[in-house]
Amino acid sequence: MMASTAPSWPGVRPVKTCTECKQSKLRCDSKDRFPNPCSRCQARNLTCTVDPSFRRTPARKRLEAMSRELRELRDQRIAEARAGSTTSPDPDSTRSQDSAGNASHPSVSILLDDFEVMGLESFELNGVVIDNHTVIEVFKHFITYFHPHLPILGPISVKTIYHSHPFLFWTIVIIVALRLPVVSDETLFTRLHEPYMQVLREEALRAPMPLSKIQALLFLCMWPLPVPSQRDDPSWLYCGIAINAALYMNLHRSSPRSGITPSLYSVGVVSGSARERTNTWLGCFYVSTSLSMHLGVPPMINTPSDLATIRTILSEHTISREFSLQIRVLLILAGFTNVLTHNSNDGVVDSSVTQLLDGELDTLKITFPDGWTRMTDFLVMVVKIHVYTLVITRSRSGMGSREILLKLGLATALRIIHLANARFHERPDKASTFTTAQRERTLPKDYYRGLAFATIFLLRYFSLTNTANAEEQLAANHVIMAHTIFKTLVTRPRDEYDRAANLFEVLCKQAPVSVDARKSDITDRMGVSIVLDAIDTARELRGYPVEIPTPDITITTEGIPAQTSLSHPPDMFASNSQVEESWPSDLAFANMFWGDSSWDVFNVPPEVPQFHPPHGSMPNI
């Protein structure tokens, strides 16, 4: 466990005042409110950080510095205007290309103007009716904010999706309605939730499963519906269904050059185009490998031949650059996870493998510099910290390699939170009507799993320790950043963002203990063990039990009829005179086979009796 009792926040922060309050010479309650910002920073939407090296700048010097910056900006604008420059970058265009709101080049061609020829003014799901304007709005949001993160759909029209793939149609609608406000129908998700769940329960296990259902399940794994607790999230189960259905359709043998795959009646589903099949299989790998990392279980697609097939597809198939790079990152993870999970906790092997993984991930950025976005960089950092934590949790205290990994883990966790915080404070696109919080809610759940993991890593190994130094203070500042992001995204009490923020708050109430004093009760879930352990610790701090009681099962013989009263079905073979005796159980089969000289390699003795067919049987053909 991470700790048990909880006096108040660690009490080891070297400075009690944040930089903003110190600059203004005001009382600061950052220590008492950790991981929340201090009252003044929260009210003014300021970044609350505690920096021991901060020195207050007099107001006159600050005014002079601001005036100097304004003059420099004005001179720069004048110089550009005089030069007639038309190539100066738009401030918005300098942002990372991974912003979900930046969708000048949609990743899929979904036709939205075909409703006029559909002759439909409304659409119904189990009695819930929505109009066509709402559907158009929903699919525009999906193309812009969601599909770029999992670009597996090919060119298709809304008309085709609605008529031919209704499960995919309503899955897209429910995902968007949950995360983005639909102006034309603000109660859309509330009205659709229960009818959709009925359809989901009916369709999830209905065989055979066509390509569109596999795609719908993959979208549900990326953007799950709300659950009361993380253990209730069925994403891993849906992912297993999708992958097994994909294997049944032989998607793992698809390639862009495979041509047309016939739709056989014996298989029972339309095969789809080669591009659709390839995209969907890449989506299966991406979703399952990312989920396995965040859940601490082995990847579903991890054999050398399967990983080689994915690499071949990437070299032959044209997909978005960012998605291709993220798949390459997960390919490296899948290969090294196999090695790390199958060695016998050898510290030397673990360190060597971790070093090799670091090298491959860093080389990837050098090899593919084009299209490398902050979202890809974020994924690389998340992969690294998961592997570091896996090795740290099973290394002995005092080992030099463990201390090195702790330092690497600190830098990686800080980088993850920094990237998330920088993205969170980006200015929305000028054409966007959504706030920053609304835009950020469209990110896949695994993004916030990675952010929460980095925060818990800092709390476990740095912020809640007995020592007080610059590293611990830096970790505490970044915990505040992550906590602020989760709190800002909350839309209703006890939603997933709110539960994550509350988890951080409860963990910060522990008594400080040394890193080596914390022993985890969960050791078989790779690096995710620290997250599961943090959840159990928070339950213990709240006064709840951490173990699920085993229900008592009483075995009774009442109501069971006596053996003599059981009716036995008649022996269908005993009275069937047409059934011949079984063939001899020795190695004598048919004379025509035994006469082949090739059987000599098996050293069958020559005295083996010859086989003679029973009377009335069919002769040899």
Side-chain angles (χ1 to χ4, degrees):
M1 287 290 178
M2 293 174 65
S4 56
T5 58
S8 63
W9 189 76
V12 296
R13 298 184 81 182
V15 178
K16 297 180 180 180
T17 306
C18 74
T19 55
E20 294 289 343
C21 293
K22 190 173 184 178
Q23 175 64 35
S24 302
K25 293 184 177 181
L26 296 174
R27 184 185 299 273
C28 182
D29 56 358
S30 61
K31 175 184 173 182
D32 299 329
R33 290 175 52 84
F34 183 81
N36 289 286
C38 71
S39 301
R40 182 172 179 273
C41 289
Q42 186 170 20
R44 290 164 175 76
N45 197 24
L46 301 173
T47 301
C48 185
T49 57
V50 177
D51 184 2
S53 61
F54 176 78
R55 295 293 178 267
R56 181 179 176 275
T57 304
R60 178 176 296 179
K61 290 185 178 180
R62 294 187 68 188
L63 181 60
E64 292 175 355
M66 292 174 63
S67 300
R68 184 170 57 254
E69 291 178 3
L70 288 174
R71 285 196 301 270
E72 292 175 354
L73 289 173
R74 183 188 60 188
D75 294 342
Q76 182 180 358
R77 287 292 182 89
I78 293 175
E80 290 176 354
R82 290 176 177 175
S85 175
T86 59
T87 59
S88 59
D90 185 351
D92 288 336
S93 67
T94 59
R95 297 185 307 148
S96 63
Q97 299 175 1
D98 54 359
S99 176
N102 188 2
S104 57
H105 301 286
S107 58
V108 62
S109 299
I110 297 182
L111 303 179
L112 299 173
D113 56 353
D114 59 350
F115 281 100
E116 296 180 359
V117 299
M118 289 178 65
L120 294 174
E121 292 294 331
S122 61
F123 305 85
E124 181 180 350
L125 178 66
N126 292 347
V128 176
V129 180
I130 60 176
D131 58 52
N132 56 5
H133 297 291
T134 300
V135 172
I136 294 176
E137 183 181 356
V138 163
F139 273 83
K140 285 181 178 179
H141 294 338
F142 177 76
I143 294 171
T144 304
Y145 296 99
F146 295 86
H147 192 261
H149 296 294
L150 189 64
I152 60 176
L153 294 182
I156 195 172
S157 69
V158 175
K159 176 181 178 180
T160 302
I161 298 177
Y162 177 71
H163 283 300
S164 303
H165 315 296
F167 182 59
L168 175 60
F169 177 89
W170 291 110
T171 299
I172 291 174
V173 172
I174 197 75
I175 286 174
V176 175
L178 172 64
R179 289 166 175 81
L180 278 180
V182 180
V183 177
S184 57
D185 192 343
E186 296 180 354
T187 64
L188 180 59
F189 176 78
T190 304
R191 295 190 300 118
L192 273 181
H193 183 237
E194 187 54 38
Y196 176 81
M197 291 303 298
Q198 295 176 5
V199 173
L200 176 59
R201 287 188 286 266
E202 295 172 359
E203 298 293 335
L205 293 178
R206 178 177 294 177
M209 184 168 290
L211 202 62
S212 61
K213 284 189 183 179
I214 298 174
Q215 294 167 340
L217 290 178
L218 293 178
F219 288 135
L220 275 180
C221 294
M222 289 281 283
W223 294 277
L225 300 182
V227 290
S229 63
Q230 290 307 302
R231 65 181 184 181
D232 300 318
D233 189 339
S235 298
W236 186 245
L237 303 181
Y238 293 158
C239 186
I241 295 173
I243 288 181
N244 281 285
L247 293 173
Y248 179 79
M249 290 187 66
N250 216 30
L251 298 189
H252 60 303
R253 295 291 179 259
S254 301
S255 70
R257 301 179 181 179
S258 60
I260 299 176
T261 302
S263 301
L264 301 177
Y265 182 82
S266 56
V267 177
V269 291
V270 177
S271 61
S273 67
R275 182 179 183 85
E276 287 180 301
R277 293 167 62 86
T278 303
N279 284 350
T280 304
W281 182 243
L282 290 177
C284 287
F285 173 77
Y286 178 87
V287 172
S288 63
T289 307
S290 180
L291 262 180
S292 69
M293 172 180 66
H294 289 290
L295 298 180
V297 294
M300 294 184 185
I301 304 173
N302 62 358
T303 65
S305 60
D306 285 337
L307 299 183
T309 299
I310 299 292
R311 293 188 184 93
T312 302
I313 291 175
L314 292 177
S315 64
E316 299 176 351
H317 189 45
T318 303
I319 58 175
S320 71
R321 191 68 170 176
E322 181 181 70
F323 189 53
S324 173
L325 288 172
Q326 291 178 359
I327 290 176
R328 292 182 186 277
V329 172
L330 295 178
L331 277 170
I332 295 175
L333 170 67
F336 280 92
T337 300
N338 291 336
V339 178
L340 287 170
T341 55
H342 289 91
N343 79 64
S344 56
N345 292 356
D346 188 326
V348 177
V349 174
D350 285 349
S351 299
S352 300
V353 171
T354 305
Q355 189 174 1
L356 288 173
L357 177 134
D358 260 350
E360 285 210 24
L361 290 175
D362 294 339
T363 302
L364 196 62
K365 185 175 182 178
I366 299 174
T367 307
F368 302 98
D370 296 336
W372 191 275
T373 63
R374 286 198 301 209
M375 287 294 285
T376 306
D377 199 18
F378 184 91
L379 178 61
V380 169
M381 295 297 109
V382 172
V383 167
K384 284 187 175 185
I385 198 170
H386 271 273
V387 176
Y388 295 158
T389 308
L390 167 62
V391 179
I392 289 171
T393 53
R394 65 188 195 184
S395 299
R396 297 188 305 272
S397 60
M399 293 180 59
S401 59
R402 185 175 186 270
E403 298 304 317
I404 293 174
L405 287 175
L406 281 172
K407 299 297 184 183
L408 291 173
L410 171 64
T412 305
L414 296 179
R415 175 66 176 167
I416 290 171
I417 297 176
H418 168 75
L419 289 171
N421 189 60
R423 177 188 170 88
F424 189 75
H425 287 90
E426 282 180 348
R427 285 187 300 166
D429 286 339
K430 295 178 180 178
S432 176
T433 59
F434 296 122
T435 64
T436 298
Q438 291 171 339
R439 181 197 66 195
E440 294 302 284
R441 292 190 194 101
T442 65
L443 293 174
K445 183 174 179 177
D446 281 355
Y447 177 88
Y448 292 104
R449 285 189 174 112
L451 180 59
F453 188 95
T455 308
I456 291 173
F457 181 91
L458 292 180
L459 286 172
R460 179 184 179 96
Y461 293 112
F462 293 94
S463 292
L464 302 178
T465 57
N466 280 324
T467 58
N469 53 41
E471 290 180 348
E472 276 68 3
Q473 189 59 69
L474 191 61
N477 289 336
H478 282 71
V479 169
I480 295 176
M481 294 180 191
H483 178 265
T484 301
I485 293 174
F486 280 101
K487 289 293 287 186
T488 307
L489 297 178
V490 173
T491 57
R492 58 189 178 279
R494 299 299 299 161
D495 66 3
E496 291 185 322
Y497 306 114
D498 192 27
R499 295 202 302 269
N502 289 338
L503 174 65
F504 304 152
E505 293 170 8
V506 174
L507 293 177
C508 290
K509 296 177 182 178
Q510 301 175 83
V513 295
S514 65
V515 174
D516 297 332
R518 295 190 176 101
K519 300 297 181 183
S520 176
D521 294 335
I522 304 171
T523 58
D524 57 349
R525 295 294 290 272
M526 297 190 278
V528 184
S529 297
I530 68 168
V531 177
L532 302 177
D533 186 53
I535 295 173
D536 287 343
T537 300
R539 283 188 60 85
E540 188 177 23
L541 291 172
R542 293 186 181 112
Y544 297 117
V546 297
E547 294 185 3
I548 301 176
T550 303
D552 295 331
I553 301 177
T554 304
I555 301 177
T556 177
T557 58
E558 296 180 5
I560 300 178
Q563 184 173 0
T564 55
S565 64
L566 292 175
S567 59
H568 296 278
D571 190 344
M572 61 182 296
F573 294 104
S575 60
N576 189 352
S577 59
Q578 301 299 321
V579 178
E580 302 287 348
E581 296 181 1
S582 60
W583 287 2
S585 59
D586 53 22
L587 293 178
F589 289 106
N591 296 336
M592 60 180 294
F593 293 113
W594 285 117
D596 195 329
S597 59
S598 62
W599 286 97
D600 295 340
V601 298
F602 296 99
N603 297 324
V604 178
E607 60 272 10
V608 172
Q610 296 293 305
F611 171 76
H612 299 284
H615 176 68
S617 63
M618 293 181 62
N620 291 334
I621 299 177

